[in-house]
Amino acid sequence: MQRDLVVRAQRGDLDAFSSLTAGTTDRLFGAARLILRDDEQAADAVQDALLQAWLDVRGLRDPDRFDAWLHRLLVRSCYRAAKRGRQRAVVELALDSTLEPTTPDPQRAVAVRDQLDRGFRRLSPEQRAVIVLRHYLGLSLAESAEVLAIPLGTMQSRLSRATQAMRAALDADERPAVGAVEVAR
Amino acid sequence: MNPDAQFERDLEQWLQSEAPASAPAGFHATVIDRARTLRQRPGWTTTPTVRRFGRGRGITLLAAALLLTGGALAAGSGLLRLPAVIPPMPSPSVVAVATGSPDATSPSPSGSATPSASPIPVAGPGGVWIWTGTMVTPGAEKAVRLLDGRVLVVDGASVAGDATDWYDPATGTPPSAKLYDPATGTWTATGTWTPPAMRIAFGVSTATLLSDGRVLITGDSTELYDPATGTWTATAKPIGEPGSQGTATLLRDGKVLVTWSGTLFPGEGTAQAGTAQLYDPASGTWHTTGKMITPRSRPVATLLSDGRVLVAGGDTRNDWTDTAEIYDPATESWTRIANTHNAIGPAGAALATQLPDGRVQVYSTRGSEVYDPTTGVWTAGPKPTKFLPHPWALLSDGTVLTDDPDHQKVTDPAAVCTAAVFDPRTGSFTTTPPMLRCGAWPSFTPLLDGTVLQVVGMDCNGGVNGGCVSAGAAELYVPAGVPLPALPAFPSPAPPVHPSPTPVPTPLPPADGPVPPNARRWTVTVDNQSSQPATMVVVDGTAGKLVGSATPNVVPAGTTMKVTFLLPADGGWIDANLRPGEGGGLLTPDQVGIPGKMVITPEGDTTWVGPATP
């Protein structure tokens, strides 16, 4: 069914393209929002990716790879949007961490969420993309590698580095810190 | 649970909860509506039909291999970036009629007049397209008809490729300006301006004819053009960084009201959407003049007969809007008026014209309506039977020339590009004969003689480095019944040259050296039987970036040689460029290493000789 829609879209059928993408837009927006941490930029990136897909769908040789291709377009749109969004935000670090990672739920859940949020914000958009593909969109390592157009081994190492960076950020967050750090939004 | 697994589980739960459950309401519909305004780029077709290569063709190894059985030879192309066979040009629809006065504003209906001894040829039903002179420099972002009937065409600065949003004079293309003279059909360069370096290249956002005959442009730079002297003079910049999708309306007092798009969409500036500013040509200054009640991008804006400005429709964040408001220059304030019956698309997907009685006709995909400034009432009119795309030009009989709405439904839009004449009285479209040259982002400018100048801004067919290049073709549309201009016969302009990808550094080392761990090497025979050298490149099929290398990377005409390709491990596209930026074939990882050879025939067809893949 999806293949048929892709083929029809390649023949210029916008209705087919609409059907093809209607069900995935929410998920794409969610991924873009996670990568960019900004609603407006995310909307821009998704729109950019969808319009790019419509413009270039004829260049897609294998209709079965539409999803991966669309994800690739989205990630690239996110990179471009991040590049355009030159604003930088200043985030105050906690002066005295009160997080207790071993605290049972529900306090632990709240603390973990807070930690993850702050840790994730400190990742670069490229690092966020790796994590979002794998852990939000649920793509396999091979699928993620295809989306990012990188070899599987590179994907593995990037994911590992992104995860380590986030954990390092969390570890640092648990230590008392003073001052402000500039982070890329 | 070990810490790593716990971390991953926490992370996934957090990601799921952190991501919004859905895109904004109406978001997808808005994107689809915007897609409707875009013409798809031609590319690889999915049907592995045998097709003769035309310009911008290439090989599809997969398609070719599937077609072949042991040693058979077939023309293998599923790609068509330009028509394989240029459709025959229809004979111009011209009717010779007598007319005492070739007044373009009241054209003689074709065939309705009695021939005389000195017939004046007029365009027949459907009109006719004819070549006029080719622009002296390519690129056409905005076109403005001057008071004397000439047309100023400007093209803003552009960045190199798509690698950066920033204009760098060392690598980008500077702006250009040229004048078209309808009396001779020729073009002359008319100076240029210097855009500021290292800022986002917006190109030309607005171009407005001022009361004194000068032209104000905004965008990369803010400049005044004086046709009397042919000179450009920098004037004050608008306040802030307004973006690329503004509207500009000349007011009765000679000032210009500009509304800015703000940050609603990518690359459209950092000013807050809905900001409006006034430019005073007398003092050369800008000042903010209130903010629109409903921030919107690219609304339709029309000067009313009482001097106020009607602004309606456009893009808001989530959808096209049905809101409208009026700007009053006397008080420099905005007043909300009644909503339209249907949402009005953004400029480009909607248009507005003033009727002789002072009312304003607005056309959009979702309907046409008339606004009466004296009563403040919108009256719904006939809905267009098709989507109304841009560009558009109001013809002398009240109809509207637009790009052909059916392009989206044509299997190969590159093969034939037509326009259509929209009749707002009935909502119907009449297709014109094919344009002489297809191109992206053309503009239509009505001339004083009733014809319409079309200039093609970009050519997006072929080209592996970003795809589009500036184009210089220009042609005239002569509507039905309008006398053909007495111009010399201009030849068909040469197709634009796409940049050769070969000078771009390749990310992989020479193909005959050591094979990096992320690459694969494949040596095949390339038999170039054509009369032109073939440049061999390896590109990313999605982004068109060079991702591999070929050694040697040029196969001279009439030569057979082994070419070694170094491809990414996950595959790439092999392009055989008889001309720069043309040709191409997809190679997937499982096809690397299949035996056979590439043959470039004397006719320019690229074929694959070899067995089918497993």
Side-chain angles (χ1 to χ4, degrees), chain A residues 10 55-61, chain B residues 40-46 56 78-82 412-414 461 573:
Chain A
Q10 289 180 315
L55 283 173
D56 289 335
V57 67
R58 289 161 191 257
L60 181 67
R61 277 303 295 164
Chain B
Q40 281 181 303
R41 294 176 187 136
W44 301 83
T45 62
T46 54
L79 169 69
L80 197 64
R81 288 179 177 158
L82 266 187
D412 183 3
N461 301 297
W573 298 52

Side-chain angles (χ1 to χ4, degrees), chain A residues 47, chain B residues 25-35 265 315-320 366:
Chain A
Q47 174 179 259
Chain B
F27 176 79
H28 185 260
T30 303
V31 174
I32 295 301
D33 280 341
R34 289 173 71 89
F265 296 104
D315 270 326
T316 59
R317 167 57 56 187
N318 295 326
D319 204 353
W320 295 3
R366 298 177 187 174

Side-chain angles (χ1 to χ4, degrees), chain A residues 10-12 58, chain B residues 39-42 83 406-418 438 461:
Chain A
Q10 289 180 315
R11 292 174 180 162
R58 289 161 191 257
Chain B
R39 183 182 303 168
Q40 281 181 303
R41 294 176 187 136
D406 276 344
H407 273 155
Q408 302 299 330
K409 298 294 183 185
V410 177
T411 301
D412 183 3
V416 179
C417 288
T418 58
C438 288
N461 301 297

Side-chain angles (χ1 to χ4, degrees), chain B residues 162-569:
Chain B
D162 61 356
T164 173
D165 292 329
W166 302 86
Y167 174 68
D168 181 350
T171 56
T173 303
S176 67
K178 42 259 178 181
L179 281 175
Y180 175 73
D181 185 348
T184 61
T186 57
W187 295 84
T188 53
T190 185
T192 185
W193 64 94
T194 304
M198 300 309 291
R199 53 157 292 177
I200 287 180
F202 286 131
V204 178
S205 176
T206 68
T208 311
L209 178 65
L210 304 178
S211 306
D212 60 8
R214 293 182 298 168
V215 176
L216 169 72
I217 66 162
T218 67
D220 289 329
S221 187
T222 311
E223 304 275 339
L224 285 171
Y225 174 72
D226 187 346
T229 60
T231 55
W232 292 89
T233 307
T235 186
K237 296 177 182 177
I239 301 160
E241 193 172 280
S244 63
Q245 301 290 343
T247 68
T249 307
L250 179 66
L251 305 180
R252 277 180 165 179
D253 60 5
K255 295 177 183 173
V256 181
L257 174 70
V258 181
T259 67
W260 301 117
S261 61
T263 55
L264 283 174
F265 296 104
E268 296 184 358
T270 56
Q272 189 168 10
T275 301
Q277 296 180 30
L278 271 183
Y279 176 74
D280 184 352
S283 62
T285 57
W286 293 85
H287 76 266
T288 303
T289 182
K291 189 179 176 188
M292 278 189 286
I293 296 166
T294 302
R296 64 190 79 208
S297 176
R298 296 183 299 151
V300 292
T302 306
L303 182 69
L304 301 176
S305 54
D306 60 7
R308 296 180 301 162
V309 178
L310 169 68
V311 171
D315 270 326
T316 59
R317 167 57 56 187
N318 295 326
D319 204 353
W320 295 3
T321 180
D322 59 1
T323 61
E325 47 199 293
I326 283 182
Y327 174 78
D328 187 344
T331 59
E332 295 197 15
S333 61
W334 295 85
T335 304
R336 178 83 177 264
I337 61 172
N339 286 7
T340 53
H341 295 273
N342 302 287
I344 304 297
L351 57 92
T353 61
Q354 192 180 52
L355 301 175
D357 61 6
R359 295 180 302 160
V360 175
Q361 175 91 58
V362 176
Y363 314 110
S364 180
T365 303
R366 298 177 187 174
S368 68
E369 13 203 316
V370 174
Y371 178 71
D372 187 339
T374 61
T375 62
V377 173
W378 290 94
T379 304
K383 183 177 180 180
T385 55
K386 299 176 182 177
F387 181 68
L388 194 64
H390 74 292
W392 60 272
L394 188 63
L395 303 181
S396 52
D397 63 355
T399 57
V400 178
L401 178 69
T402 79
D403 206 359
D404 187 356
D406 276 344
H407 273 155
Q408 302 299 330
K409 298 294 183 185
V410 177
T411 301
D412 183 3
V416 179
C417 288
T418 58
V421 175
F422 169 63
D423 188 338
R425 292 158 291 205
T426 61
S428 63
F429 288 83
T430 304
T431 302
T432 73
M435 297 178 196
L436 304 180
R437 174 66 52 84
C438 288
W441 307 298
S443 69
F444 292 160
T445 306
L447 304 181
L448 294 177
D449 63 0
T451 62
V452 177
L453 173 68
Q454 187 216 182
V455 288
V456 174
M458 302 290 281
D459 181 293
C460 295
N461 301 297
V464 295
N465 284 327
C468 297
V469 297
S470 295
E475 54 192 282
L476 291 174
Y477 175 69
V478 187
V482 171
L484 270 68
L487 296 175
F490 288 95
S492 170
V497 176
H498 290 268
S500 170
T502 49
V504 180
T506 58
L508 290 179
D512 54 357
V515 180
N518 62 338
R520 298 178 67 177
R521 181 153 59 202
W522 184 36
T523 299
V524 290
T525 299
V526 178
D527 180 5
N528 184 4
Q529 301 173 1
S530 77
S531 58
Q532 300 179 68
T535 301
M536 314 303 296
V537 294
V538 180
V539 297
D540 173 351
T542 301
K545 302 291 186 188
L546 286 171
V547 294
S549 54
T551 302
N553 67 348
V554 175
V555 180
T559 303
T560 299
M561 61 170 52
K562 295 271 189 185
V563 176
T564 298
F565 294 96
L566 202 56
L567 302 125

Side-chain angles (χ1 to χ4, degrees), chain A residues 18-152:
Chain A
S18 178
S19 302
L20 185 64
T21 55
T24 62
T25 300
D26 290 346
R27 201 72 172 155
L28 294 177
F29 182 74
R33 174 64 178 76
L34 287 169
I35 294 171
L36 294 166
R37 311 295 296 171
D38 181 279
D39 282 342
E40 291 191 2
Q41 286 189 13
D44 290 344
V46 175
Q47 174 179 259
D48 194 24
L50 289 172
L51 293 180
Q52 190 77 31
W54 168 246
L55 283 173
D56 289 335
V57 67
R58 289 161 191 257
L60 181 67
R61 277 303 295 164
D62 184 352
D64 291 333
R65 295 168 77 181
F66 178 82
D67 281 344
W69 179 65
L70 184 57
H71 285 141
R72 181 183 296 190
L73 294 179
L74 177 72
V75 170
R76 286 182 171 159
S77 292
C78 288
Y79 290 169
R80 285 195 295 271
K83 191 176 172 184
R84 275 193 297 267
R86 302 184 302 280
Q87 308 94 327
R88 301 176 77 83
V90 175
V91 176
E92 291 289 333
L93 294 183
L95 294 176
D96 181 18
S97 173
T98 57
L99 297 178
E100 296 292 340
T102 56
T103 302
D105 291 338
Q107 287 105 328
R108 177 191 175 277
V110 173
V112 166
R113 286 178 57 86
D114 188 45
Q115 279 186 314
L116 288 168
D117 182 62
R118 280 182 286 176
F120 197 71
R121 283 180 185 276
R122 293 177 192 176
L123 300 183
S124 69
E126 290 79 5
Q127 289 174 318
R128 290 179 201 155
V130 171
I131 288 181
V132 167
L133 289 174
R134 183 78 178 95
H135 294 297
Y136 173 70
L137 292 177
L139 303 187
S140 68
L141 281 171
E143 290 168 335
S144 301
E146 181 184 6
V147 167
L148 296 174
I150 56 177
L152 181 60

